[in-house]
Amino acid sequence: MQKYIEIIEQDKNRHLNELIEFLKFPSISSQSEHKPDMENCASWLVNNLNNSGIKNTKIIPTHGHSIVYGEWLEACKDAPTILIYGHYDVQPVDPVELWTSKPFEPEIRNGKIWARGTADDKGQLFCHVKAIESHFKANGKLPVNVKILFEGEEEAMESHLDDFIIQNAKLLSCDTAVISDTEWFTEGLPTICYGLRGITLAEVTVTGPNRDVHSGSFGGGIDNPLNVLCWMVTQLRDRYGRIRVPGFYDNIVELTDEEREAFKLLPYDEKLYCEDLGINSVFGEIGYSTLERVWARPSLDLNGIVGGYTGEGAKTIIPSKASAKISMRLVPNQEPEDIANKIEFYLKLIAPPTVKVEVIAKAGGKPVLTPLNDPAIKAASRALKLAFGKEPVFMREGGSIPVAELFQSVLKANTIFIGFGLPTDNIHSPNENFDLNNFYNGIKAIAYFLDESSK
Ligand code: BES
Ligand code: MN
Ligand code: MN
């Protein structure tokens, strides 16, 4: 057995205890009241990196939340440089009453650790830190050069990291970027993700009369912004989920036959999928399987809509205002900016003159695909086999990790996604959890990956 693996075995309990400390910071990036928690969390992380043997660690302030950086560049000549990315910020916790244990008081139950950020992404990010530590403890060095880039704004969709990467391309230059922030296809099946969707967000606000007015005195006489908004959002998709925004599907890269065949080999059971969600059937564009639609076709979803009175009893009004938030998931080669322009144009086009319609559309991040023949994918496959005793499967992902495309376009490095999450982790939901076996073996997998990357 490799010495670093023995060390990981010995240090198991301490690794868990440190993870618990890390999880106790309520590092919710989108809520300004948590700014001090964000800073405390970043300091803790820098400190932990230092103690793990990483050099030149620092907190890099931005106009938003701080970046945590570190490096170790003393590997032997010809060894590659690996950039490790993760995010220490987490999603908000509401509805907090649905949590079995408190979101920032980690608890161990059923072989899992339960707290906000366990899987997304603190637990996964921490696998890298402890893997590095074990190499240092075993050999006093790493098999490869390493640069660490941990951010605190991923969940808030801010773009300060983008600017930092563009301005510091030299500092961050690397052969490969690696991210552990994705999940396995299913429990027991180590998985390499090779593609994520991009994202564009839109917010529509419809304004009618300058105050809420009586629906009897004015109904039929003036337009209702809430009715208008509902009508407008129904114009965005047809009955089968095909998006009606003009030009939305331009330039899309179609799935290859090889990919479609490979997706079919994955152990996907549509009946179980529906049962788990409590739905009668799946939904979406005709001609594509569910996995194809989620991983390789764009989608458009209403995230929330507000307006008018929904409280107890009756309140007969025409509301003054209504608004909705929309997310669109994008696939290669859709451009988030272009899609933002297209949805804004379309919503303004169909807006009736009887109300005021405002649209704010924001590009969130580009889709990304990693070529399967990248040598780092091969190293990751060997590492997963060594750590989990099974050949990994390959999948794409419907979610987004906006930074990955920047590594490709700015740093000219492919990103490898070696995630350890499971579909049952409840990321972004109440009762987020991370499987402890995946945590412990995830540390081993990354330790092996660093080793295999030097070969
Ligand atoms: N880790 C997720 C991405 C992800 C989602 C991976 C599902 C695997 C499965 C990431 O933290 C995330 O939540 N991304 C956001 C990005 C957005 C806020 C720009 C997303 O996909 O909504
Ligand atoms: Mn994440
Ligand atoms: Mn997330």
Side-chain angles (χ1 to χ4, degrees), residues 87 91 120 154-155 181 400 427-428:
H87 63 91
Q91 282 279 319
D120 188 11
E154 199 267 354
E155 302 289 10
D181 191 24
S400 312
I427 63 171
H428 294 207

Side-chain angles (χ1 to χ4, degrees), residues 289-302:
S289 72
T290 303
L291 293 182
E292 289 169 0
R293 293 194 307 273
V294 175
W295 294 349
R297 297 295 294 169
S299 59
L300 181 152
D301 282 282
L302 205 48

Side-chain angles (χ1 to χ4, degrees), residues 85-87 89-91 119-122 124 154-155 179-182 400-401 427-428 432:
Y85 165 90
H87 63 91
D89 64 324
V90 303
Q91 282 279 319
D120 188 11
D121 177 38
K122 286 172 171 171
Q124 298 205 54
E154 199 267 354
E155 302 289 10
I179 302 182
S180 297
D181 191 24
T182 51
S400 312
I401 302 180
I427 63 171
H428 294 207
E432 182 173 349

Side-chain angles (χ1 to χ4, degrees), residues 112 119 182-189 191 273 276-277 395 397 420-427 429 433 438:
K112 296 166 191 287
T182 51
E183 59 194 29
W184 288 7
F185 186 75
T186 188
E187 196 183 339
L189 206 57
T191 304
Y273 182 80
D276 170 57
L277 294 167
M395 68 180 262
E397 184 55 69
F420 304 112
L422 293 178
T424 48
D425 286 350
N426 295 327
I427 63 171
S429 301
N433 64 87
N438 277 25

Side-chain angles (χ1 to χ4, degrees), residues 209-228:
N210 57 12
R211 58 193 185 275
D212 293 356
V213 296
H214 195 289
S215 70
S217 310
F218 293 91
I222 62 171
D223 211 345
N224 179 326
L226 187 49
N227 285 67
V228 171

Side-chain angles (χ1 to χ4, degrees), residues 71-106:
E71 61 188 25
W72 189 85
L73 304 173
E74 297 158 34
C76 30
K77 193 171 154 289
D78 298 333
T81 300
I82 310 250
L83 176 69
I84 297 167
Y85 165 90
H87 63 91
Y88 65 88
D89 64 324
V90 303
Q91 282 279 319
V93 296
D94 43 80
V96 73
E97 64 279 6
L98 295 185
W99 286 74
T100 303
S101 56
K102 297 218 174 84
F104 297 108
E105 291 175 22

